[in-house]
């Protein structure tokens, strides 16, 4: 009788094992566990070195080809993209100009005193006074004027800190060739996102690719960017940061963050 | 003996339940992996979402996901919504009338013996028009309110307007400060017309006034109070 009970118990465990194993899996099938924990100081140093290399450049131009996943209400993931050209003259001049894949063209520029955004297709532009450096401008543009600026940390002088703060994991993945450029591929993780950086090997450690996975969001959407045409001697004279409204252009405004606007409107 | 019976009972329970549980899991995974339908919305995909920001965090630049918003679909419309789509002034459609209304417009023939006399019919019709007007106002108010809530829920952003085109009602009114994308504007039944006032270009569509502004990097139409003198 005892043997029969033991056999029954074994049968139960065998049947229940797959279900118990399933319970351990992360909802949605997201991978969990198994990744190497810990931080490789050399990987962090490689990131910091590349970031510092960029920060030290007083003038630089580069191209960004971005694509991102947009998770639809029904869970379907759709890819969108844009191309941007960046001209930077530290500390207080930057111009970002580009085109979305849907053909919409526009950009943002900053001359140390005024932010200007324009939409060439709608033939409109908006200006906002803002004295200061590029760091102050990007904070103001994104946080106050609610204007998106993907990868804005690339033009900021606190880039090394931005990339390495709050890391929970940093590892070399290995060598990776992007086009003709041999890169170090480095995988990092902070509390919010997983991200990977591809940094060119050699005396000019520029970023060649950035992939960010928003693992806390449904569908794990990704942001991907290829960075190319790095130019550390670009033409960044004053004319580059001047905006001349096209004929017939309509001047519009930046709509501030509605919640903030509503709160201020309600304030006595 | 009793403990052995209990153990045996538990085991048989497990034998019966575990396969059902597994079946449920497989079914759930199958649905997840195969998508959840969502057909029939071609060309209306939203490009918004947290991944658009390219941010290394989920702070100020992370946007609420469209999938998290309360879906403003027809089935979730406020209870104040009448059974009909509000009229655009082009004449109520017969199928749109509430069931308690006279079956025919007075004076348009038909109905014969069942038709009330002219005076009574006119009164009924007036009641219908009054009721329809009230319904329309309630509906518009309700929709605008819901839209506003959604707007606030989403941090003040409408997503590309495809949602709007699928459920926006004709004649719908928005709260001042609401923001409409160009796609949402295109789905309105009125025509957006530029009006120059004291050197500033405003836009009028039906009875609502707008000005254009950059919202989240897009050119949008923001609902405003009518300019002075309008």
């Amino acid at each position: 009788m005892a043997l029969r009970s033991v056999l029954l118990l074994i049968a139960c465990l065998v049947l229940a094992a797959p279900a118990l194993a399933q319970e351990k899996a992360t909802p949605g099938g997201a991978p969990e566990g198994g990744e190497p924990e810990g931080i490789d100081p050399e990987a962090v140093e490689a990131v910091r070195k590349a970031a510092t290399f960029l920060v030290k450049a007083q003038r630089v131009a580069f191209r960004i080809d971005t694509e991102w996943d947009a998770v639809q209400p029904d869970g379907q993931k759709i890819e969108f993209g844009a191309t941007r050209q960046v001209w930077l003259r530290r500390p207080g001049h930057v111009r970002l100009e580009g085109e979305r894949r849907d053909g919409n063209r526009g950009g943002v520029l900053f001359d140390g005193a005024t932010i200007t955004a324009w939409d060439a297709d709608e033939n409109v532009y908006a200006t906002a006074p803002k004295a200061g450096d590029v760091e102050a401008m990007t904070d103001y543009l994104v946080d106050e004027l609610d204007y998106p600026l993907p990868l804005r940390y690339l033009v900021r002088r606190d880039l090394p800190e931005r990339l390495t703060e709050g890391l929970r994991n940093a590892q070399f993945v290995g060598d990776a060739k992007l086009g003709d450029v041999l890169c170090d591929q480095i995988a990092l993780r902070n509390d919010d996102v997983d991200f990977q950086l591809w940094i060119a090997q050699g005396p000019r450690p520029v970023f060649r690719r950035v992939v960010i996975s928003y693992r806390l969001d449904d569908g794990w959407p990704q942001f991907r960017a290829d960075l190319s045409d790095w130019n550390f001697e670009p033409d960044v004279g004053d004319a580059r940061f001047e905006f001349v409204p096209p004929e017939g252009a309509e001047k519009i405004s930046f709509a501030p963050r509605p919640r903030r606007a509503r709160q201020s409107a309600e304030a006595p | 003996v009793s403990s052995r019976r209990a153990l045996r009972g538990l085991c048989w329970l497990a034998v019966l339940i575990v396969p059902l549980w597994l079946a449920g899991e497989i079914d759930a995974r199958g649905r997840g992996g195969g998508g959840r339908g969502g057909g029939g919305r071609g060309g209306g995909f939203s490009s918004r979402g947290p991944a658009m920001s390219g941010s290394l965090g989920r702070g100020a630049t992370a946007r609420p996901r469209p999938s998290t918003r309360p879906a403003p679909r027809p089935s979730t419309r406020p209870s104040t919504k009448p059974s009909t789509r509000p009229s655009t002034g082009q004449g109520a459609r017969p199928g749109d009338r509430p069931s308690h209304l006279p079956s025919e417009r007075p004076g348009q023939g038909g109905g014969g013996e069942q038709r009330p006399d002219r005076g009574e019919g006119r009164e009924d019709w007036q009641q219908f028009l009054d009721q329809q007007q009230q319904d329309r106002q309630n509906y518009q108010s309700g929709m605008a309110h819901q839209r506003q809530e959604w707007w606030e829920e989403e941090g003040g952003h409408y997503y590309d307007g495809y949602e709007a085109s699928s459920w926006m009602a004709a004649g719908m009114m928005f709260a001042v400060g609401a923001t409409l994308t160009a796609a949402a504007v295109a789905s309105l039944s009125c025509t957006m017309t530029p009006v120059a006032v004291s050197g500033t270009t405003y836009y009028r569509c039906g009875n609502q006034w707008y000005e254009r502004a950059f919202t989240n990097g897009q050119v949008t139409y923001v609902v405003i109070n009518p300019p002075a003198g309008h």
Side-chain angles (χ1 to χ4, degrees):
Chain A
M1 203 62 178
L3 179 63
R4 197 172 164 188
S5 299
V6 169
L7 286 174
L8 264 174
L9 190 61
I10 290 171
C12 291
L13 289 174
V14 168
L15 280 167
L20 292 173
Q22 179 65 28
E23 195 177 28
K24 285 184 179 176
T26 305
E32 183 188 76
E35 76 272 27
E37 284 293 334
I39 292 176
D40 179 350
E42 289 188 15
V44 177
E45 184 52 35
V47 172
R48 191 171 283 123
K49 182 181 170 188
T52 304
F53 178 79
L54 180 53
V55 167
K56 282 183 177 175
Q58 291 305 300
R59 49 182 62 198
V60 62
F62 55 98
R63 173 188 163 111
I64 311 177
D65 291 288
T66 61
E67 54 192 38
W68 63 91
D69 300 326
V71 181
Q72 305 301 305
D74 65 0
Q76 187 177 8
K77 240 185 322 193
I78 303 295
E79 181 187 291
F80 292 87
T83 296
R84 279 190 185 82
Q85 180 68 37
V86 181
W87 292 270
L88 173 66
R89 191 178 88 193
R90 300 189 199 278
H93 291 73
V94 67
R95 179 185 185 111
L96 302 101
E97 185 172 357
E99 182 174 355
R100 294 198 312 241
R101 285 184 186 167
D102 64 7
N104 179 274
R105 294 167 297 127
V108 179
L109 66 79
F110 176 60
D111 62 2
T114 304
I115 302 170
T116 304
W118 73 94
D119 184 314
D121 293 352
E122 297 284 346
N123 201 20
V124 298
Y125 68 100
T127 62
K130 181 63 186 175
D133 53 22
V134 170
E135 289 72 26
M137 171 267 189
T138 54
D139 282 344
Y140 185 69
L141 186 66
V142 174
D143 297 336
E144 302 296 327
L145 300 181
D146 204 17
Y147 194 98
L149 210 56
L151 295 180
R152 72 181 190 270
Y153 39 85
L154 282 179
V155 297
R156 297 172 60 101
R157 284 172 292 184
D158 57 2
L159 177 65
E161 294 76 31
R162 292 281 177 132
L163 292 179
T164 57
E165 66 188 2
L167 290 177
R168 295 174 55 194
N169 194 294
Q171 300 286 335
F172 279 107
V173 175
D175 293 345
K177 203 168 185 181
L178 297 180
D180 294 331
V181 182
L182 188 61
C183 299
D184 286 323
Q185 181 181 354
I186 300 172
L188 306 110
R189 165 174 278 195
N190 63 28
D191 285 339
D192 295 325
V193 301
D194 293 348
F195 60 109
Q196 299 176 70
L197 301 170
W198 282 257
I199 299 170
Q201 295 181 1
R204 212 170 73 151
V206 293
F207 295 101
R208 302 292 301 195
R209 178 173 290 173
V210 178
V211 173
I212 305 168
S213 298
Y214 295 84
R215 69 174 189 274
L216 301 181
D217 289 281
D218 290 344
W220 284 47
Q222 276 194 341
F223 173 93
R224 300 170 289 276
D226 281 331
L227 298 101
S228 58
D229 299 347
W230 286 96
N231 181 358
F232 290 88
E233 293 181 351
D235 174 12
V236 283
D238 288 345
R240 180 73 71 189
F241 307 102
E242 289 174 5
F243 179 76
V244 179
E247 187 178 349
E250 178 188 338
K251 187 174 182 181
I252 64 175
S253 61
F254 289 101
R257 282 187 183 278
R259 204 179 296 272
R260 193 169 292 137
R262 187 165 52 86
Q263 286 168 351
S264 61
E266 288 170 356
Chain B
V1 175
S2 61
S3 63
R4 197 177 298 159
R5 279 184 182 166
L7 178 64
R8 192 183 300 171
L10 276 173
C11 285
W12 281 116
L13 194 63
V15 168
L16 288 171
I17 288 175
V18 167
L20 294 174
W21 184 16
L22 285 173
E25 290 291 319
I26 291 165
D27 185 41
R29 277 181 282 156
R31 280 200 298 268
R36 286 185 287 168
R41 289 181 177 171
F45 294 108
S46 169
S47 64
R48 304 281 148 184
M52 186 189 188
S53 68
S55 165
L56 291 176
R58 304 181 78 218
T61 55
R63 297 279 175 259
R65 299 179 302 279
S67 57
T68 62
R69 71 169 186 277
R73 303 184 193 288
S75 59
T76 62
R77 284 178 178 175
S79 58
T80 53
K81 170 192 171 300
S83 59
T84 66
R85 189 176 175 215
S87 167
T88 57
Q90 296 167 350
R93 294 174 297 182
D96 287 342
R97 293 181 189 175
S99 58
H100 68 276
L101 295 171
S103 59
E104 297 286 342
R105 272 173 179 257
Q108 287 190 337
E113 295 171 4
Q114 295 176 3
R115 201 180 81 187
D117 65 36
R118 278 182 180 272
E120 194 179 336
R122 192 175 296 120
E123 193 174 330
D124 283 351
W125 183 248
Q126 188 58 49
Q127 285 176 0
F128 162 63
L129 293 176
D130 291 345
Q131 181 63 39
Q132 192 183 45
Q133 175 68 18
Q134 186 61 46
D135 282 351
R136 190 182 302 129
Q137 288 171 354
N138 289 343
Y139 178 43
Q140 290 168 356
S141 171
M143 290 303 287
H145 180 63
Q146 187 184 42
R147 185 77 171 172
Q148 181 75 10
E149 285 181 347
W150 178 32
W151 178 58
E152 290 170 3
E153 185 72 21
E154 291 294 286
H157 303 295
Y158 294 150
Y159 287 88
D160 289 352
Y162 88 89
E163 297 92 344
S165 63
S166 65
W167 61 274
M168 274 172 125
M172 179 174 164
M173 300 290 284
F174 300 104
V176 171
T179 307
L180 279 72
T181 61
V185 165
S187 72
L188 296 173
S189 59
C190 51
T191 302
M192 195 65 81
T193 307
V195 181
V197 179
S198 305
T200 302
T201 302
Y202 297 99
Y203 292 81
R204 184 174 184 171
C205 189
N207 290 325
Q208 287 218 289
W209 288 81
Y210 302 81
E211 64 181 5
R212 294 206 285 182
F214 278 109
T215 304
N216 202 227
Q218 284 190 85
V219 178
T220 60
Y221 291 79
V222 182
V223 179
I224 59 170
N225 287 314
H230 289 272

